[in-house]
Amino acid sequence: MTQCTTTNPNTTTKPSATRWAVMAAYAAALTASTTTVLAYASVTPSVREDFGVTEATVGNLTLLSPLFLVLLGPLSGRFLDRRFDATLAVGAAMIAVGPLLRVVDPSSYRWALAGQILLAAGTPFVANAITKYPARYFSAQERPTVIALLSASFYAGVLLAAVTGQPLYDRGGIDLLVEVHGALGAATGAALLIMVVVVRVPAVVMDPEPAFVRGHLRRTRELWLLGGVMFVLFGLFNAFITWIETVQDHLGNAGFGGPLVIALTLGGITGAITIPGLAARRDARRTALIVISVVQVFGFLAFAATGNSGILLVLAVVVGFFMMAAMPVVFEWSEIHAGIANAASATAFLSIAGNLGGVVFVLAPQLFLDTPRGMLVLLAAMSIPGALAALRLPRTPTAHRIAD
């Protein structure tokens, strides 16, 4: 295996204004798919009674999404790199139909499971295009901004699910909850499908070179270091939204976990939009990832040190601002490293790393459920490898061509 820098310039076509409409449809689909996947998460105790199952069984519906992102990650990346439009269209159809299946019988766990499986299985074929789409339709100067906006749309889905789930359920029970999510998923999935199949915007940037061997791509040190950063920071995000309510309950702040998740996500969306562009313009991506990783270490130690609600809200905004900016920075770095022809495969690899991190960071703190401050200190300690991985990255992204 040999490595050398890609020097052949990309060929371009005249940009089409319609590509921004397609980007909007894609961003909306990312938001909706995240919201619909988390449909039951914020009202688990209530829907448990509607379904007639345990809370753990309801929780398994949410776990299907990271499971499929891991299992179907390599396949979705390969197909998106080889047959982009057709693969994205299939994913769009799946995330449109999945939430509708739940509408057949909102109180049936079997229909909920069927819809969730279809939705979760379609998610990798949409989510893993988050760098491939900007690489095909936007210039190198525009890509950091576009990737940042698309990443923010994912976090917006988390926020939308958190703030609308309980109000919808309180107003109309499980029927209204499922119907609204069904309409949201169907509308955004159908819009993306129409854009991909009917509008068919021509690619602005084309890579004329054949894709290098993807198995070799996954052996590059740079991609593994990026995967290490994703493993830690996405894991921290999952751990925070999973356990912060439990932590606050033990510390005497019952019910305060929800506001902290909202504060973290609002700060995160802001950071995801602003930091990646600044880092790209100044060629300071490595510095940004180091700062982001270090902030997490000290941020979770600070969470452990205080129980003041005002300070906690400020901490959540600051930690979220940096934490959620990591994903678009890492994704944009991976597209430079892997090249346009392999952008989706690199994204899939990083998505797998992030979701595996989510599992590890959610499971490990269970040993400290009765010592909430100890749990937060553990999360701070577990975030140190992310900072070390960021430190070992090269000063600037390297574009590699890997041949046999």
Side-chain angles (χ1 to χ4, degrees):
M1 181 178 72
T2 59
Q3 294 185 352
C4 63
T5 302
T6 302
T7 57
N8 290 351
N10 294 334
T11 59
T12 62
T13 60
K14 183 179 180 181
S16 167
T18 313
R19 65 201 173 116
W20 290 100
V22 180
M23 192 210 76
Y26 181 41
L30 285 174
T31 298
S33 64
T34 305
T35 301
T36 51
V37 159
L38 298 174
Y40 306 110
S42 62
V43 290
T44 296
S46 300
V47 298
R48 175 192 69 78
E49 297 179 3
D50 293 304
F51 289 144
V53 299
T54 65
E55 287 191 28
T57 303
V58 177
N60 289 338
L61 294 173
T62 302
L63 290 177
L64 285 172
S65 180
L67 175 64
F68 276 104
L69 280 166
V70 171
L71 294 178
L72 297 181
L75 183 67
S76 64
R78 187 176 304 115
F79 276 97
L80 283 166
D81 281 331
R82 293 179 178 178
R83 298 286 185 272
F84 180 78
D85 289 336
T87 304
L88 186 57
V90 170
M94 293 172 73
I95 66 172
V97 175
L100 287 178
L101 287 181
R102 305 190 298 207
V103 180
V104 174
D105 186 351
S107 298
S108 167
Y109 184 80
R110 290 183 178 180
W111 279 107
L113 179 61
Q116 196 81 351
I117 288 175
L118 187 61
L119 172 61
T123 298
F125 298 95
V126 175
N128 286 332
I130 200 168
T131 56
K132 188 76 173 183
Y133 178 81
R136 283 169 57 92
Y137 299 107
F138 293 87
S139 68
Q141 292 74 26
E142 295 171 313
R143 284 174 212 160
T145 299
V146 176
I147 293 173
L149 290 171
L150 294 176
S151 298
S153 69
F154 163 78
Y155 293 124
V158 176
L159 179 62
L160 187 62
V163 300
T164 62
Q166 193 64 55
L168 285 172
Y169 189 88
D170 290 342
R171 183 170 182 177
I174 194 170
D175 287 358
L176 181 62
L177 178 73
V178 169
E179 288 166 1
V180 169
H181 282 87
L184 179 65
T188 56
L192 179 59
L193 184 63
I194 291 170
M195 285 293 183
V196 174
V197 176
V198 179
V199 179
R200 297 181 63 85
V201 179
V204 175
V205 180
M206 299 293 292
D207 189 343
E209 300 178 353
F212 56 66
V213 179
R214 290 171 179 81
H216 290 172
L217 167 65
R218 290 190 293 272
R219 296 183 199 128
T220 67
R221 177 176 178 272
E222 198 165 326
L223 194 62
W224 276 95
L225 289 172
L226 292 172
V229 174
M230 278 289 288
F231 181 91
V232 169
L233 291 173
F234 200 78
L236 280 174
F237 172 73
N238 276 13
F240 187 94
I241 64 175
T242 300
W243 296 119
I244 195 61
E245 185 66 65
T246 300
V247 168
Q248 293 304 310
D249 283 349
H250 280 79
L251 294 177
N253 294 325
F256 197 57
L260 287 178
V261 170
I262 293 172
L264 180 96
T265 310
L266 286 173
I269 292 172
T270 305
I273 292 173
T274 57
I275 291 179
L278 291 172
R281 285 193 295 273
R282 299 179 182 181
D283 198 18
R285 299 173 183 86
R286 176 176 176 268
T287 301
L289 291 177
I290 292 172
V291 171
I292 289 168
S293 299
V294 171
V295 166
Q296 304 315 304
V297 177
F298 288 98
F300 275 83
L301 288 176
F303 276 123
T306 182
N308 181 278
S309 58
I311 295 175
L312 287 171
L313 283 172
V314 173
L315 278 174
V317 171
V318 173
V319 168
F321 180 84
F322 288 96
M323 177 193 291
M324 298 186 188
M327 186 168 77
V329 173
V330 168
F331 280 158
E332 196 243 341
W333 187 315
S334 73
E335 185 272 320
I336 297 172
H337 178 65
I340 296 173
N342 297 281
S345 292
T347 299
F349 176 85
L350 296 172
S351 178
I352 291 171
N355 281 283
L356 288 176
V359 173
V360 171
F361 275 71
V362 167
L363 292 178
Q366 292 187 26
L367 299 173
F368 295 83
L369 288 180
D370 294 328
T371 54
R373 297 192 190 279
M375 178 192 292
L376 293 168
V377 171
L378 173 65
L379 290 174
M382 290 176 66
S383 63
I384 293 175
L388 296 177
L391 281 167
R392 293 175 65 86
L393 283 164
R395 296 187 64 85
T396 190
T398 57
H400 283 288
R401 177 168 179 76
I402 303 177
D404 293 318

